[in-house]
Amino acid sequence: MNASESSPKTAIVRMYQARQQIYPRDVSGRYATLRWTCVWLTQLVFYGMPWLRWNGRQAVLFDLAARKFYLFGIVLWPQDFIYLAVLLIICAFSLFLFTAIAGRVWCGYACPQTVYTKIFLWIESRIEGPRSSRMRLDRQAWSLDKLLRKSGKHLAWGVVALWTGFTFVGYFTSIHDLAREASVLGLGSWEWFWVLFYGFATYGNAGWMREQVCKYMCPYARFQSAMFDRDSLIVTYDAARGEPRSNSFQKTPAPTSSPCIDCSMCVQVCPTGIDIRAGLQYMCIGCAACVDACNMVMDKIGARRGLIRYSTEHAITENLPAAAILRRIFRPRVLIYSSALLVIVSVFLGSLILRVPLKVDVIRDRGSMGREVEDGMVENVYRLQAINADEMPHRYKISVVGIDGIALSGDSEITLAATETRLIPVRVRVPHGQGRPGSNSISFRLQGLDGARSQANEKAVFYIPR
């Protein structure tokens, strides 16, 4: 026995699978058109929204410096944080509902990673050519043609990424001011940081990482199975019809005789590089590119469409018709999600509609708890932080109740400009003998005087020396 035979063999365990470059083939069809429609709609909203004007200002602006969030005719303040929390709950329930009904429909059509990968792949195919040309170009040695094509592609990617980063920052800084500053390279340090950071993230995720984000970084791919059931629509392969596979490309004499011809088109068009014929996989984003590709092949060989299609596990195993699939949509899980979502959205919209555009907080003067003044009156000093959340100036009357004879000392009417916050010093007096020594509960009220129909009440404590 020699030394090489006696030494144990070392097993190499790889913790991370090396990435294999994926070259998705272009495909046309019903779902490809739907994906491009979603790309256009989402990007028109994202790129166009900051440029819309409303009441002389940006329609949608999250002004963190001024702590004001503008959403068309609504102005939200930090005190309105509850609306953001409810909005996130609505998004979560919507995701649960859509996933229970149609699987990863969000991932396949509207997810930013999917949308920008689609845009970047379109740029790549326009500059480097179709799938076969891109594969051949990458195998070639460096030449002037390859350098020009690669440089042009990355330059175009960079322009899209920077414009995306610029637009993102435009939601937090007035985009018109941002454009003027950018034209003379006068952006602030934080603005530069976020434009470049978001642009770099777009460039890296959509240009380089692509399916790696969906496979390894996105948490949705990991917990989606908890929201699926056997009646959720998924992209699936009809193995009962497709197996055993045939290598014949001749047109079949009967439309029912249409097994898989193993052309691998479904794999070539998949943006994550999986084979849908192996069954449901967490890497599948439900984009239905394989459905369009398979239907195109079936049309060419004269076979029946639907070998790969949107269906459910129940429909595949029990050969259910489309009407039965639709009836199974209204199952307990979907009804519970829908009811909860309807209630939350109704409460959210009702709260926004009935929201009073006036807020008031009471701040006691800590330097003086209570003191006696002329005529035997007891006086407490407060500061009222009044917020006019409307985009119109309004006049308000300040009053106070809670103790017999309690009244304000000084002017009781104020005018607040549009979206103004003001600290208002207020002196409150109580006749001697009214109230009990120590703390007494009172309430401040601000009432609109110019038809604003706004009223705000805030509790406070009036202190009478013992």
Side-chain angles (χ1 to χ4, degrees):
M1 180 180 296
N2 55 39
S4 61
E5 293 176 345
S6 61
S7 61
K9 295 183 178 180
T10 302
I12 300 177
V13 179
R14 300 187 182 276
M15 303 300 293
Y16 178 77
Q17 182 181 5
R19 183 197 180 201
Q20 296 181 353
Q21 183 69 27
I22 296 177
Y23 301 89
R25 181 188 291 272
D26 292 335
V27 64
S28 59
R30 177 194 306 172
Y31 298 108
T33 302
L34 181 58
R35 286 196 304 277
W36 273 115
T37 301
C38 290
V39 169
W40 277 104
L41 289 177
T42 55
Q43 298 316 291
L44 283 174
V45 171
F46 175 73
Y47 291 115
M49 191 75 74
W51 297 97
L52 295 180
R53 306 294 292 176
W54 189 279
N55 290 337
R57 48 123 176 123
Q58 190 168 313
V60 179
L61 178 64
F62 307 105
D63 193 345
L64 298 180
R67 295 184 296 177
K68 298 176 185 177
F69 295 169
Y70 298 95
L71 298 174
F72 295 96
I74 300 174
V75 183
L76 300 178
W77 299 74
Q79 294 88 336
D80 299 313
F81 186 79
I82 184 64
Y83 291 108
L84 175 60
V86 175
L87 187 60
L88 293 177
I89 294 174
I90 292 174
C91 292
F93 270 94
S94 299
L95 186 63
F96 298 159
L97 175 62
F98 298 152
T99 303
I101 295 175
R104 295 183 67 178
V105 64
W106 161 261
C107 294
Y109 296 92
C111 174
Q113 177 66 20
T114 300
V115 168
Y116 285 105
T117 298
K118 185 75 174 174
I119 295 173
F120 277 46
L121 278 172
W122 180 85
I123 294 173
E124 185 175 82
S125 64
R126 299 287 81 76
I127 296 177
E128 295 185 358
R131 179 175 185 266
S132 57
S133 299
R134 300 199 301 272
M135 296 173 65
R136 185 169 56 251
L137 183 66
D138 283 350
R139 290 194 300 264
Q140 291 176 355
W142 281 99
S143 63
L144 180 60
D145 178 69
K146 182 175 182 178
L147 179 63
L148 291 176
R149 289 181 182 274
K150 292 291 184 181
S151 300
K153 177 186 73 173
H154 288 284
L155 178 62
W157 282 0
V159 170
V160 174
L162 285 176
W163 185 249
T164 304
F166 171 83
T167 303
F168 173 77
V169 176
Y171 279 93
F172 300 90
T173 300
S174 174
I175 199 166
H176 292 84
D177 297 338
L178 196 67
R180 285 193 294 271
E181 294 172 359
S183 63
V184 294
L185 300 179
L187 297 180
S189 56
W190 280 110
E191 292 167 340
W192 274 118
F193 172 80
W194 286 111
V195 168
L196 295 177
F197 177 84
Y198 200 81
F200 176 76
T202 304
Y203 173 81
N205 289 344
W208 290 92
M209 300 182 70
R210 292 182 179 173
E211 79 286 350
Q212 301 289 89
V213 175
C214 302
K215 286 183 176 181
Y216 304 112
M217 297 175 62
C218 178
Y220 184 40
R222 304 297 177 177
F223 64 76
Q224 60 164 329
S225 58
M227 294 180 281
F228 281 9
D229 57 29
R230 291 177 57 82
D231 290 306
S232 298
L233 281 174
I234 56 175
V235 177
T236 184
Y237 168 68
D238 191 348
R241 168 185 158 184
E243 304 294 333
R245 302 172 191 175
S246 170
N247 292 324
S248 173
F249 285 87
Q250 297 179 356
K251 292 189 175 182
T252 56
T256 57
S257 176
S258 51
C260 174
I261 63 173
D262 208 15
C263 64
S264 77
M265 283 293 293
C266 56
V267 180
Q268 294 180 34
V269 301
C270 180
T272 58
I274 66 171
D275 188 346
I276 194 63
R277 297 171 296 180
L280 180 62
Q281 301 155 69
Y282 78 90
M283 295 87 78
C284 176
I285 62 173
C287 67
C290 53
V291 177
D292 286 332
C294 187
N295 286 340
M296 181 178 63
V297 173
M298 293 295 106
D299 290 342
K300 288 183 178 179
I301 65 174
R304 177 166 50 95
R305 286 186 165 201
L307 182 58
I308 300 176
R309 62 184 183 272
Y310 272 116
S311 188
T312 68
E313 290 187 45
H314 266 146
I316 291 293
T317 57
E318 301 176 16
N319 197 24
L320 298 177
I325 296 176
L326 292 176
R327 284 196 300 269
R328 286 175 177 264
I329 288 179
F330 302 101
R331 53 195 187 274
R333 172 183 293 196
V334 173
L335 294 177
I336 291 172
Y337 286 156
S338 301
S339 301
L341 187 60
L342 180 62
V343 170
I344 296 172
V345 170
S346 299
V347 172
F348 178 73
L349 293 178
S351 177
L352 280 179
I353 294 172
L354 300 176
R355 172 174 166 268
V356 176
L358 173 65
K359 303 180 186 299
V360 59
D361 292 320
V362 179
I363 306 172
R364 282 195 58 91
D365 186 351
R366 298 183 181 275
S368 174
M369 294 295 293
R371 62 180 181 179
E372 293 186 4
V373 293
E374 66 272 8
D375 301 328
M377 305 285 282
V378 179
E379 181 182 82
N380 282 199
V381 180
Y382 305 85
R383 285 184 298 167
L384 304 185
Q385 184 181 41
I387 301 175
N388 176 18
D390 197 3
E391 294 193 273
M392 297 290 291
H394 293 293
R395 290 190 305 113
Y396 301 98
K397 179 179 179 60
I398 305 174
S399 59
V400 60
V401 296
I403 303 176
D404 290 339
I406 191 171
L408 297 177
S409 175
D411 192 4
S412 62
E413 294 187 8
I414 62 170
T415 299
L416 295 179
T419 67
E420 181 187 4
T421 301
R422 187 192 303 176
L423 283 174
I424 306 165
V426 175
R427 297 178 182 274
V428 179
R429 293 182 177 181
V430 170
H432 181 72
Q434 298 295 334
R436 65 178 185 274
S439 298
N440 295 262
S441 296
I442 63 173
S443 179
F444 286 94
R445 175 180 297 172
L446 266 71
Q447 178 71 48
L449 296 177
D450 52 4
R453 295 192 305 172
S454 57
Q455 177 179 305
N457 298 282
E458 186 67 17
K459 294 180 180 180
V461 172
F462 189 92
Y463 183 78
I464 298 178
R466 297 181 187 275

